[in-house]
Amino acid sequence: MSEEQHASSSSSSFPEEVLDNILHFLPTRHHRNSFSLVCKTWYRADTLTRHELFIGNCYSITPQRAIQRFGNIKSLVLKGKPRFADFNLIPVNWGAHFKPWSTCMTSAYPWLEKISLKRMLVTDSDLLLVSNELLGFKELVLDFCEGFGTTGLAAIATNCRQLRVLDLIENAVLEDASLEQLVARSPSLKKLRLNQHVPIEQLWRLMVRAPQLTDLGTGCFVSADPMVQVDVQRDLPLAFAACKSLVSLSGFSVIVPEYLCTIYPVCANLISLNFSYTTINTEQLKSFIRHCHKLQKLWVLDIIGDEGLQAVGANCKDLRELRVFPLDVREDAEALVSEEGLLAISEGCRKLQSILYFCQRMTNAAVVAMSRNCLELKVFRLCILGRHLPDHLTGEPMDDGFGAIVMNCKKLTRLAVSGLLTDKAFSYIGKYGKSLRTLSVAFAGDSDRGLRYVLEECPKLEKLEIRDSPFGDAALISGLHHYYNMRFVWMSSCKLSREGCKEVARRMPQLVLEVIVDPLVEDTGEAVEKLYMYRSLGGRRSDAPKFVSIL
Amino acid sequence: METVAKYEGDLNLKATELRLGLPGVEDFEKQKTPIVRNNKRALVETGDDCGSNNNSDISDARDRDLETAPAAKKQVVGWPPVRSYRKNSFQSKKTEVETSGMYVKVSMDGAPYLRKIDLKIYKGYPELLKALMAMFKFTIGQYSESEGYNGSEYVPTYEDKDGDWMLVGDVPWEMFISSCKRLRIMKGSEAKGLALGL
């Protein structure tokens, strides 16, 4: 018997093999985290057998410490900048460099198979390192990352012979030649999502070479060259039909409506469709969506209108996730979708779990209806584009609508609010949002009371992002008991002062408080314009730029 | 190939510039150094941002907003919360739709049906002419300013915004694609009149 087994038989009656077996069945990292807290033996078992390393904030821990804890990682998920960086609220060069992680991980985990990065700064040399050091590398997902170009991607395409997934969500372009090389060399390639600049002729060639594709992101859906060698109307439907496993389509950044019908052969199998870069109109959508009965995920533009959404509600009974994006991103643009579209979706798609809905106007009644019809909702994100807009029929704040959502949707974990909201809305969130993990607030609330409701009463809250709301130091202090349970708090254009933030920093040594100043403004005085606060075992980070002051 | 115009900041200065070419034509650059590009955008926008810098103005601003709700609101950084990538995709697309000279019909004397081509995908006359020759299986001779396509069996012509039939190649490319409404491959014998400047 080994040393470990002697120890385990005294502290617990489970031999290692049994522990490993149990661990195998634990579905998520949250379960594993709980498991590892029981005793040293169980902690060690987790250390040795955990295969996926999930780091929700790259600054919460140093890479060196991470590799000390876990010895055998096959999959790395790493997230960097806070989400509000997407909206230009964080100056460039704030951080989230992949480099310290790439050097550390490639040497500590040579059998690493998957890397999934979100909002990180990734360079070509990082990708080159990955492609050279990780022999069994299978999946690369780069979500909203930047800093790399075609060189790095070409290295991945050339060197990673076992690549199954290449998912570049809203990222750079892969050069034509490498793309075809990649597909030719990768018989296991299942997911290819590029979403940019892949003209139809090349798309056809790629599909013909890779009929095993399950996920395809297309890019341009037009012919680049009138002297096409492929007869689009005839050959493309055949190519699509040959991809019998195709269940997910995205891209279509430029689409000629006549080519839409070439996709019809796959509609019946489609589970996921991203048309959010496609300016097809209501009629085109209606004739298309009739075929998509299995659709579970749909991303569209609001130009399809309430009528288009009614067609979705009528045809896509299995819909789980819907995102409706605005074509015209202005506060006072023409209203293309409204409460009617939301109502139609809520009545037709009863299995809905996640919704992101941009609109120019909304009513409490429609939101309440959704809260009653869609009881499976986990994610409810409503963005009324005009700031502080009330219910456009009653003139009332949107408090009751959002209140109904938190009250009726017991599985709700993520909420984003908008429109005119008083502290009452937050009292509802505090009272009913007991499962809430992520909350996004903008231009809402009356006083500190609003934020206090949330911090004092939402026990599961992990991620909080607030902008332009009248919450100050007193509200910030009210959350001290909870901040170590959270991944981060973002507050910008609120009423925070340096003194208040320093107080929090003093009392919470393992919390990092970053005050981000506008690089152009010399003296900001007492007011804190942007606060990014997160728990960390790594302490103050060494790569903070000048415009970040860590309290 | 599709070009994506990168506009600097929300002010969309490029769209209001006076120029003859289509917007976005020369703006296509490979994203080798996106950091530099984003830097510019951030600076411009924080410079413009007067709505959300001053904390004590928040409730005042809100009251003001409520009073003047129907009026156009001044722009604020990062609102609406739509990613730049998405915003930029459609800014360029909208101007594409608004300008003329994208898909044009091409007819050839003697051919039974017309074709359609997208002028935007060509970088210049040589490419366009090559494509036309391949499409319709004809040849043309060298172009010269003084004599046009003298000696060719066929001659490429186009109808411009004013309704006049012009010889392809006389004006700068940018001007051509913004004014060309349709193309016609004329028989050489018929085109003699054009070349002689009648």
Side-chain angles (χ1 to χ4, degrees):
Chain A
M1 263 183 139
S2 72
E3 220 175 44
E4 285 94 6
Q5 282 169 313
H6 274 298
S8 74
S9 60
S10 59
S11 66
S12 93
S13 49
F14 290 117
E16 243 180 52
E17 298 81 33
V18 179
L19 277 184
D20 289 353
N21 249 307
I22 297 174
L23 275 170
H24 192 68
F25 287 103
L26 292 185
T28 71
R29 65 181 187 274
H30 304 290
H31 294 99
R32 272 183 169 266
N33 291 347
S34 306
F35 180 95
S36 66
L37 290 176
V38 169
C39 64
K40 279 210 171 113
T41 312
W42 288 31
Y43 178 93
R44 247 198 118 234
D46 176 39
T47 298
L48 292 171
T49 60
R50 192 183 289 224
H51 290 312
E52 179 178 283
L53 183 55
F54 176 93
I55 297 174
N57 172 8
C58 62
Y59 288 121
S60 62
I61 190 169
T62 60
Q64 290 75 21
R65 187 144 175 188
I67 60 175
Q68 270 174 3
R69 171 84 165 87
F70 298 107
N72 204 3
I73 296 296
K74 295 238 166 68
S75 161
L76 171 69
V77 178
L78 190 57
K79 299 189 184 182
K81 295 191 241 185
R83 200 178 70 93
F84 276 7
D86 291 350
F87 316 127
N88 297 327
L89 286 180
I90 296 180
V92 179
N93 299 329
W94 171 83
H97 303 275
F98 182 49
K99 192 162 279 350
W101 295 89
S102 64
T103 43
C104 207
M105 299 273 137
T106 50
S107 70
Y109 307 131
W111 305 118
L112 195 57
E113 291 176 358
K114 303 190 211 178
I115 294 179
S116 176
L117 305 176
K118 191 165 187 175
R119 293 192 188 96
M120 301 281 304
L121 211 64
V122 182
T123 62
D124 283 334
S125 64
D126 291 331
L127 294 178
L128 193 62
L129 186 69
V130 165
S131 75
N132 281 330
E133 300 296 311
L134 302 178
L135 300 174
F137 192 61
K138 295 201 171 100
E139 295 189 20
L140 181 66
V141 177
L142 295 176
D143 211 341
F144 309 152
C145 295
E146 59 185 2
F148 62 95
T150 52
T151 317
L153 291 174
I156 297 280
T158 313
N159 300 338
C160 302
R161 301 301 182 103
Q162 311 228 26
L163 202 67
R164 272 196 316 233
V165 172
L166 181 61
D167 200 336
L168 307 173
I169 303 169
E170 295 184 9
N171 276 300
V173 172
L174 193 63
E175 257 167 23
D176 293 352
S178 328
L179 186 56
E180 294 200 44
Q181 229 184 16
L182 166 70
V183 174
R185 283 184 178 180
S186 316
S188 343
L189 192 70
K190 287 257 155 109
K191 283 196 196 179
L192 182 62
R193 303 220 292 217
L194 304 159
N195 294 348
Q196 216 175 326
H197 298 285
V198 177
I200 247 186
E201 298 74 43
Q202 194 184 41
L203 175 66
W204 178 81
R205 284 198 298 270
L206 292 173
M207 289 173 69
V208 160
R209 283 196 205 231
Q212 78 284 1
L213 281 176
T214 59
D215 288 59
L216 178 64
T218 65
C220 278
F221 212 62
V222 292
S223 179
D225 189 337
M227 40 187 258
V228 288
Q229 276 145 17
V230 54
D231 181 334
V232 165
Q233 299 281 3
R234 184 197 65 203
D235 296 336
L236 209 56
L238 290 178
F240 269 111
C243 293
K244 298 220 180 300
S245 332
L246 206 60
V247 293
S248 168
L249 275 183
S250 58
F252 305 100
S253 53
V254 177
I255 191 163
V256 176
E258 294 86 70
Y259 291 159
L260 252 187
C261 57
T262 60
I263 315 174
Y264 282 8
V266 289
C267 282
N269 290 332
L270 275 187
I271 291 180
S272 163
L273 181 59
N274 182 353
F275 259 178
S276 66
Y277 290 97
T278 317
T279 51
I280 59 168
N281 61 32
T282 312
E283 286 314 310
Q284 287 157 350
L285 177 95
K286 279 165 73 170
S287 56
F288 186 88
I289 209 82
R290 271 189 298 121
H291 305 269
C292 305
H293 294 290
K294 283 198 188 164
L295 210 57
Q296 293 182 14
K297 173 172 145 175
L298 176 64
W299 291 18
V300 283
L301 285 175
D302 62 358
I303 41 165
I304 64 167
D306 286 330
E307 205 184 317
L309 290 173
Q310 280 157 3
V312 172
N315 287 295
C316 307
K317 296 300 179 189
D318 236 0
L319 201 67
R320 313 286 158 103
E321 178 181 327
L322 174 68
R323 293 196 190 187
V324 180
F325 291 97
L327 174 63
D328 191 342
V329 186
R330 284 177 303 165
E331 285 183 64
D332 50 359
E334 189 194 339
L336 294 168
V337 296
S338 68
E339 69 275 6
E340 288 178 25
L342 192 71
L343 198 58
I345 293 292
S346 76
E347 285 169 355
C349 308
R350 296 298 175 104
K351 297 188 191 170
L352 199 66
Q353 292 177 9
S354 167
I355 183 164
L356 169 61
Y357 196 86
F358 282 86
C359 57
Q360 289 289 346
R361 55 172 205 246
M362 186 48 61
T363 61
N364 279 308
V367 179
V368 171
M370 176 155 268
S371 78
R372 295 204 177 121
N373 291 332
C374 302
L375 298 171
E376 301 298 311
L377 271 179
K378 294 183 191 160
V379 174
F380 184 78
R381 299 161 68 191
L382 176 63
C383 184
I384 303 169
L385 286 159
R387 289 165 276 156
H388 311 302
L389 274 187
D391 176 324
H392 81 96
L393 287 182
T394 66
E396 297 277 306
M398 292 298 298
D399 297 340
D400 289 343
F402 285 105
I405 290 284
V406 283
M407 191 169 80
N408 297 330
C409 304
K410 309 256 190 279
K411 301 185 182 178
L412 200 75
T413 57
R414 182 172 179 182
L415 179 67
V417 300
S418 61
L420 180 65
L421 292 168
T422 70
D423 285 345
K424 193 152 81 118
F426 295 97
S427 74
Y428 288 142
I429 294 173
K431 184 167 178 192
Y432 298 109
K434 299 305 179 189
S435 309
L436 210 57
R437 297 209 301 257
T438 308
L439 179 63
S440 227
V441 177
F443 303 98
D446 301 317
S447 72
D448 282 343
R449 203 84 227 26
L451 182 54
R452 290 185 64 166
Y453 282 128
V454 171
L455 289 173
E456 287 167 3
E457 298 180 50
C458 295
K460 295 270 172 74
L461 196 64
E462 291 172 15
K463 295 179 275 183
L464 180 60
E465 45 187 34
I466 304 177
R467 65 166 293 175
D468 294 275
S469 301
F471 306 135
D473 299 336
L476 191 68
I477 302 270
S478 74
L480 290 182
H481 65 285
H482 189 61
Y483 292 141
Y484 282 156
N485 295 331
M486 294 183 69
R487 191 184 298 172
F488 73 82
V489 173
W490 167 281
M491 286 178 70
S492 60
S493 304
C494 296
K495 290 185 159 183
L496 298 175
S497 75
R498 275 196 109 93
E499 201 41 58
C501 294
K502 279 190 190 151
E503 172 72 14
V504 174
R506 266 195 295 270
R507 287 160 70 168
M508 312 279 289
Q510 286 182 322
L511 218 53
V512 173
L513 278 88
E514 296 193 10
V515 173
I516 300 169
V517 299
D518 182 342
L520 297 178
V521 174
E522 277 161 19
D523 179 22
T524 48
E526 248 317 278
V528 164
E529 176 58 20
K530 291 175 188 168
L531 172 71
Y532 181 49
M533 183 171 87
Y534 52 90
R535 67 182 171 187
S536 175
L537 293 175
R540 174 186 288 262
R541 61 183 171 113
S542 53
D543 62 357
K546 285 208 182 69
F547 53 81
V548 168
S549 87
I550 300 184
L551 298 181
Chain B
M1 294 272 180
E2 187 200 350
T3 57
V4 176
K6 298 269 182 270
Y7 293 104
E8 289 171 332
D10 284 342
L11 287 182
N12 211 348
L13 295 168
K14 282 224 179 256
T16 56
E17 255 184 314
L18 281 179
R19 39 190 284 215
L20 289 174
L22 287 173
V25 166
E26 75 247 21
D27 284 348
F28 177 69
E29 287 168 58
K30 288 235 161 92
Q31 279 205 22
K32 284 279 184 184
T33 52
I35 295 175
V36 174
R37 189 183 297 284
N38 285 342
N39 221 344
K40 273 195 188 167
R41 202 182 290 133
L43 288 177
V44 170
E45 286 183 335
T46 48
D48 283 339
D49 170 29
C50 41
S52 59
N53 263 338
N54 192 338
N55 290 330
S56 63
D57 274 352
I58 292 303
S59 43
D60 296 344
R62 218 192 87 202
D63 294 337
R64 240 185 288 125
D65 278 343
L66 286 174
E67 283 158 20
T68 60
K73 293 182 181 161
K74 58 186 178 232
Q75 278 200 316
V76 158
V77 175
W79 190 266
V82 174
R83 300 187 65 243
S84 315
Y85 178 93
R86 189 172 281 286
K87 272 198 236 195
N88 292 339
S89 299
F90 295 111
Q91 278 176 346
S92 67
K93 216 178 291 289
K94 276 188 354 194
T95 46
E96 270 174 28
V97 166
E98 280 154 20
T99 53
S100 58
M102 218 178 33
Y103 274 90
V104 295
K105 288 184 188 170
V106 187
S107 65
M108 173 149 129
D109 291 355
Y113 55 82
L114 279 60
R115 298 297 300 268
K116 229 177 187 175
I117 59 170
D118 178 2
L119 291 177
K120 289 195 74 192
I121 63 176
Y122 303 105
K123 298 192 179 74
Y125 287 118
E127 280 191 17
L128 171 65
L129 295 176
K130 236 174 53 173
L132 289 174
M133 287 193 282
M135 197 184 249
F136 289 100
K137 313 279 186 281
F138 69 97
T139 52
I140 52 176
Q142 272 289 94
Y143 167 81
S144 76
E145 256 186 40
S146 50
E147 299 196 356
Y149 296 90
N150 207 11
S152 306
E153 208 196 336
Y154 287 97
V155 173
T157 65
Y158 71 101
E159 185 184 358
D160 73 358
K161 280 201 180 117
D162 302 324
D164 297 322
W165 284 94
M166 317 282 292
L167 192 66
V168 168
D170 282 343
V171 301
W173 176 253
E174 308 295 327
M175 197 188 287
F176 165 71
I177 49 177
S178 62
S179 60
C180 170
K181 275 173 45 191
R182 53 193 301 188
L183 283 158
R184 178 182 161 199
I185 320 267
M186 239 183 222
K187 269 211 147 61
S189 43
E190 275 193 45
K192 276 217 168 69
L194 270 180
L196 293 173
L198 279 173

